[in-house]
Amino acid sequence: MRIARYTPAAGGPASYGLVEGDGDDAVVVRLEGNPFDGVRTTEERTPLGQVRLLAPVEPSKVLCLGRNYAEHAKELGNEVPEIPVVFAKFSTSVVGPDAEVPYPPDTGNLHFEGELAVVIGQECTRVPADRVADVVLGYTVANDLTMRDMQRAEKQWTRAKGFDRSCPLGPWVETDVDPAALSLRTTVNGDVKQDGTTADMLLDVAACVSWVSQTMTLLPGDVVLTGTPAGVGPLQAGDEVTVTLEGIGSLSTRIV
């Protein structure tokens, strides 16, 4: 299933829906309530081209694994961490597909980082790795926008990673995909910058979710970012960055 969150193109309240079909034939079937309480469809069907897709969930927190690809750690001059590095983004950082993100005035070196995002489906804590599949709703695409110069200047990454609109998510949550070896590609203005695979993650999805759940309770709709492959780089105002994950979809963001 592809679970989206959307509003009518002309405006109105947000709803969850199932995206069915592809291309010009794609429609959104509105759900009753939210998918965390069970997927219950209604008779309301709207062509996908007549809705505005929002961030597919409204997380209370976004927990992120840093340096989870060896080549990415290397390209920034860092060692692979002995203990997994975890940092957070916040609800105010989340935006949806095709969002415009103002170039932050606090940086001269804004970077893209395409990532696989895990969406939590039920409240959980201290989850063993072999039970992670039971608490995951599905997967979506993320761009971990980073003020790289600030990240290097400060020991804590909170400001560099958690600024407003720094976490584009979308276009929807895909529930039926194996995250173990998905192609991940990032382009800037059509030029390929990242071309990797989730098979290169040092900690796989189960290990990532289990690790962060050992110290923090995860709630329905919370998101875990699993790190980025090599190839990250700078963005400028006017750039359009697109992250594509095999079996899930593409997420585009425009820097303004």
Side-chain angles (χ1 to χ4, degrees):
M1 293 184 296
R2 290 175 289 175
I3 301 172
R5 193 170 143 264
Y6 68 99
T7 62
S15 301
Y16 285 95
L18 296 185
V19 178
E20 298 183 348
D22 295 294
D24 294 339
D25 297 326
V27 297
V28 182
V29 182
R30 188 174 65 83
L31 298 181
E32 290 184 7
N34 68 68
F36 308 108
D37 298 326
V39 174
R40 301 180 303 278
T41 59
T42 70
E43 297 300 315
E44 184 178 318
R45 302 170 67 88
T46 307
L48 182 61
Q50 295 180 20
V51 306
R52 182 171 74 91
L53 293 177
L54 308 174
V57 287
E58 297 180 281
S60 72
K61 55 189 172 292
V62 179
L63 299 174
C64 315
L65 274 291
R67 301 172 186 167
N68 196 32
Y69 288 75
E71 289 303 308
H72 169 61
K74 181 180 178 181
E75 73 179 343
L76 296 181
N78 299 311
E79 299 291 332
V80 171
E82 294 184 9
I83 297 174
V85 173
V86 179
F87 60 92
K89 288 177 177 275
F90 311 101
S91 59
T92 48
S93 71
V94 174
V95 292
D98 301 314
E100 292 188 342
V101 175
Y103 197 104
D106 311 295
T107 185
N109 196 14
L110 179 68
H111 275 210
F112 58 85
E113 294 190 6
E115 308 203 9
L116 171 69
V118 186
V119 177
I120 301 302
Q122 64 185 63
E123 183 175 335
C124 58
T125 188
R126 297 190 179 278
V127 185
D130 62 2
R131 284 200 54 244
V132 163
D134 298 336
V135 303
V136 169
L137 176 67
Y139 305 90
T140 192
V141 185
N143 188 349
D144 173 21
L145 294 172
T146 301
M147 294 191 282
R148 191 70 72 199
D149 44 1
M150 184 179 290
Q151 182 189 22
R152 288 169 173 152
E154 300 181 357
K155 292 182 179 180
Q156 296 283 349
W157 298 355
T158 303
R159 293 204 307 151
K161 294 281 195 176
F163 59 94
D164 289 350
R165 304 179 75 81
S166 65
C167 189
L169 295 175
W172 40 62
V173 177
E174 174 59 68
T175 64
D176 300 318
V177 67
D178 182 347
L182 302 178
S183 168
L184 189 160
R185 177 172 289 194
T186 303
T187 64
V188 178
N189 303 326
D191 295 330
V192 176
K193 301 297 184 180
Q194 292 183 287
D195 192 1
T197 170
T198 59
D200 290 336
M201 290 194 298
L202 299 172
L203 296 182
D204 64 11
V205 163
C208 288
V209 174
S210 178
W211 178 260
V212 299
S213 78
Q214 299 307 307
T215 49
M216 283 166 274
T217 297
L218 303 177
L219 302 177
D222 281 352
V223 172
V224 177
L225 301 193
T226 57
T228 193
V232 302
L235 293 167
Q236 305 296 329
D239 285 346
E240 181 168 279
V241 54
T242 300
V243 184
T244 301
L245 265 162
E246 177 187 3
I248 301 175
S250 295
L251 170 71
S252 292
T253 307
R254 187 169 179 82
I255 308 301
V256 299

